[in-house]
Amino acid sequence: MNVHIPPVVSVTSGPLPASTKVYRAGTVHPEIRVPMRQIAVHPTAGEPPVTVYDSSGPFTDAAFTVDIAKGLPRLRQAWSQAHVEAYDGRALKPEDNGNLPEAKLTPAFPVQHRPLRAVGGKAVTQLAFARAGIVTPEMEFVAIRENLGRERATAALKRDGEPFSAVTPDFITPEWVRDEVASGRAIIPANINHPELEPMAIGRNFLVKINANIGNSAVTSSMAEEVEKMVWAIRWGADTVMDLSTGRNIHNIRDWIIRNAPVPIGTVPLYQALEKVDGIAENLTWEVYRDTLIEQAEQGVDYFTVHAGLRLRHIPLTVERVTGIVSRGGSIMAKWCLHHHRESFLYEHFEEICDICRMYDVSFSLGDGLRPGSIADANDAAQFAELDTLGELTQIAWAKDCQVMIEGPGHVPMHKIKENVERQVKVCGDAPFYTLGPLVTDIAPGYDHITSGIGAAMIGWFGTAMLCYVTPKEHLGLPDRDDVKVGVITYKIAAHAADLAKGHPAAQLRDDALSRARFEFRWEDQFNLSLDPETARLFHDATLPKEAHKTAHFCSMCGPKFCSMKISHDIRAEAQKEGMEAMAQKYRDGGDLYMPAGE
Amino acid sequence: MNVHIPPVVSVTSGPLPASTKVYRAGTVHPEIRVPMRQIAVHPTAGEPPVTVYDSSGPFTDAAFTVDIAKGLPRLRQAWSQAHVEAYDGRALKPEDNGNLPEAKLTPAFPVQHRPLRAVGGKAVTQLAFARAGIVTPEMEFVAIRENLGRERATAALKRDGEPFSAVTPDFITPEWVRDEVASGRAIIPANINHPELEPMAIGRNFLVKINANIGNSAVTSSMAEEVEKMVWAIRWGADTVMDLSTGRNIHNIRDWIIRNAPVPIGTVPLYQALEKVDGIAENLTWEVYRDTLIEQAEQGVDYFTVHAGLRLRHIPLTVERVTGIVSRGGSIMAKWCLHHHRESFLYEHFEEICDICRMYDVSFSLGDGLRPGSIADANDAAQFAELDTLGELTQIAWAKDCQVMIEGPGHVPMHKIKENVERQVKVCGDAPFYTLGPLVTDIAPGYDHITSGIGAAMIGWFGTAMLCYVTPKEHLGLPDRDDVKVGVITYKIAAHAADLAKGHPAAQLRDDALSRARFEFRWEDQFNLSLDPETARLFHDATLPKEAHKTAHFCSMCGPKFCSMKISHDIRAEAQKEGMEAMAQKYRDGGDLYMPAGE
């Protein structure tokens, strides 16, 4: 037997500027430690550090030694695990990695664990526990995270937003989280075989989340690149990551990713199933698919995209479309259905898929195989017919205690966006909505992070719980590391803009802190409080690189004489000298020159 | 006397890929030639070229020889010029260029023309002509442009949008344009001293327009760079350009820009006035400002941003703001008012400003000196107090036959955007609205083209007529050429997304053509039809650089086996073989497996 020396995989690590990782302990569950990031500002500001949500995991903890070959600490293992047993999992098969010869195989992850599964027919999903009135460690973890470090006493802030039908309390409690999960309005994707996970929630009444896609294709990329993409994506703020690999080594690459992932990992099992039948869609079978579900559930995948809503009867509705079926999984299933003249095996076997998912707590992401891939196809009959079926499947999954979220479009012009949310709420029982953008125009390949960022911000405001990112490479090729970062930052912007517009109780604190730093020319603070401190500093350096420039009361946009913020300070100094009120009085007496507006 | 050899200024020229400049002649005014761009697609598509709006001027006409030292053809000179006279303009003064020694002076533009002005107290504005029932060459030029090359017979397309209170006919006529201008709902910024201009309109019922800002600052940039920025900005789609220079050589640089500008040029005369008093705001006087207005009007500036709405009484309303006054012009005026304890000289002399503007047809862009510069300050009392004053000034300007548009914010969270449009319509008599973004969050310096692109798309949909771009350098420094391009493309996206959402009759033609190209793997056509063909091709090349790749039925995102579009084609072929209807019938007979959704 060959001894495999684990490859040295280097990833980007270390804290972001001026940032410290802090942990808060639970009270219901004292064993949990919930990470947050604190960004310190200059002492002259006289302000406390700003605490922000932190999805980046131990990689940004200065006290943590990164070793990709070891994986992250298996923190959930110590939490109570009711109704589960360890067992000898399914044996690895050569087809799991695309039948590659050993020389071309990505090395196996050095440590293999026996998987856990439910016993006695019990469901071990967060939904089952929530319905039973149990507040799990995961639920409390989520509650603490969602409060962004605020204490209850200071939590009742002035609320200013238009939340539509979202309802978020000033202060999040573990019991409230339990109720949200029990109702199906939120999910906590948390496979019992992913103990490295730092739990998070996806739901209309929570902070809007974002997903980054990674994964190789037959044409390009490797394990080391994909692990770094995952670490890189969460560094910049991705809340979940989907591994959409379609090439070789799918199984082994996924192991390296999950064992090092502090965020939920999603997949589309159909892709690997298709690889196992050599890419011939017609040769897919329920058996191959079922086997793949178990393989991936044992590894620890937290949610599966399943295109069970695309039925044979829907396919004629796509024939007149401008861009047909743009979903990989959707097109594969449509091809299979037509070839066999049969109903989708995913639809027919859906209850059995539920039976597997409930044993491991793999959440469903019910796929939108018939999402529109062009403005012309937006909100058409094909799209909404599938949505109706997703509504039906949601009820079946819930009856089996499976957690469910619903995938959504796509390419949708702005005036058609709200209808998507309204329909989805009505048809799918208010399960969380998880959209890809949407792109609000087709005409800008190369800039589809922007065309979709616009739609994503809007649909997030209207109530969508998670936004799947789009990078500048969309429609053109596989994204590289730089594209991943730009996509993540764009979607953090969209999600945060949505939180602000919904009036989330703590969202505006960061905007205000950054704007105060800007106004006071605390340039380093402005950079450090921003979503991408490195780029902000780089852009400032482009014209003003010297250290002295970083406290200058101007920048190169306007120069020292024209800086409106500097002049604003002069105005305030002048006003204080005179006394605003004294001036106002003077001119009230002399005439109406200086009356407050509205008097 | 020294003989100045004009500098050689090179700018980017030549057509975009697959593009031809075409011209349509007028019928009411046969002397006009209206430019458009036609993008050809591959013969196999069996489709006509796609005609798109073209702001790039002769620089992209393969038949035109670019010579920056000559300037563009003075095409409007031949159009009838009623009620005007040529005269010896104001003499150039050293202060106009910042009192620079000759060695540091930007050379004067090689050809100096005697300026025109109205005679006999007449107004020569497009508004005056429109009210008199006259359809000017400018109005017909605009009508032909706005139809995007469509003929009346094919103009009645299926309209699909939510225009709010915008009303755009299927086919634009010169008479309809006249009515829009006469009502004040639209302006055609067209100084009689800017004969190089290709006229365009700004108004709620027209295509949404975008502005790019250029201009040096005391810290950086030069004439050659600024001329290239203007040519570069319009190449990518800027409809107007503002020269916001605040450094030296302001007069001479502006000459070079205007003489080479096929688009309207806007300025903020207060900046140059401030330079003339050595940057000391308190030393500004009405006389210096008035002289600057005439200087710039004689050069051919098409619109002036005038911060006449910021009154002394408004200033106390800004004291509690997080970011004070963020408008350069606004902060300068506020400083002057406070120092002198006097009402704004711009407000007091506003009618005299109108008297100047009406002699040259310089349009007003009534400045929003008190726009919010942070989320915290959005929609506050200061902002809306100034808007009320802008409404008052609009009526005064209209009474003097001056064209008017209204500037708007700023930093506004999504849920507060619509209120801005509704108030502006009510208060300003439906004059066109011209906003800066707005940015929907403060937390992403380095990405403010995106934070503002989101707000811009939305506010454009709600009825804003022109969107002022923001580049990635916003808040950090002066934009360079690359930033200008990214800002323009982002704002073309926002404007076009707004046109689509409003249901503009021809907007979707381009999205559909590009999506068809995408679906049919006509990669070159997809690139060429996009807003930035070079970048789209570059991104595709990043993983698939070979010529053969440009007709491949996949890209590196998914590879050949997983390309959903390729599979969609397979599906359609299969369906055709079988006959969709035959299949449907078969299963209707055998059971309900294959019924169209909804039956």
Side-chain angles (χ1 to χ4, degrees), chain A residues 53 58 133 182 207 265 282 312 342 361 363 370 388 429 543 550:
Chain A
Y53 194 101
L207 291 162
I265 297 297
E282 301 88 322
L312 182 56
R342 283 185 54 189
D361 196 6
S363 296
L370 297 181
D388 286 343
T543 52
K550 297 297 187 277

Side-chain angles (χ1 to χ4, degrees), chain B residues 138-148 172-174 177:
Chain B
E138 287 81 0
M139 293 170 197
E140 185 179 21
F141 197 103
V142 160
I144 294 170
R145 270 190 122 166
E146 293 275 332
N147 283 319
L148 295 174
I172 311 293
T173 62
V177 174

Side-chain angles (χ1 to χ4, degrees), chain A residues 9 11 21 35 54-60 64 66-76 79 109 113 141 145 189-200 211-212 214 223 226-235 238-243 252-267 299-303:
Chain A
V9 179
V11 296
K21 179 95 60 183
D54 185 3
S55 61
S56 59
F59 301 101
T60 50
F64 179 74
V66 176
D67 184 347
I68 297 297
K70 270 214 174 84
L72 294 180
R74 293 165 70 79
L75 49 104
R76 291 173 66 213
W79 304 356
F109 189 77
H113 302 273
F141 198 102
R145 268 189 124 165
N191 185 324
I192 58 179
N193 288 309
H194 187 188
E196 301 88 347
L197 174 72
E198 295 173 345
M200 54 80 76
N211 173 73
I214 64 168
M223 180 275 280
E226 294 307 318
V227 172
E228 161 65 358
K229 272 187 205 169
M230 180 274 292
V231 173
W232 187 238
I234 64 178
R235 181 180 183 78
D239 296 290
T240 81
V241 167
M242 289 194 80
D243 173 9
N252 288 3
I253 288 179
R254 189 166 46 237
D255 256 354
W256 284 89
I257 291 172
I258 299 179
R259 299 282 70 86
N260 284 287
V263 299
I265 297 297
T267 63
Q299 285 182 291
V301 170
D302 300 287
Y303 64 93

Side-chain angles (χ1 to χ4, degrees), chain B residues 478-509:
Chain B
L478 198 72
D480 64 22
R481 194 174 169 276
D482 294 333
D483 300 317
V484 166
K485 180 180 178 185
V486 170
V488 170
I489 299 290
T490 300
Y491 273 68
K492 287 294 287 179
I493 288 170
H496 181 80
D499 289 334
L500 277 178
K502 290 165 76 178
H504 186 283
Q508 197 174 316
L509 297 176

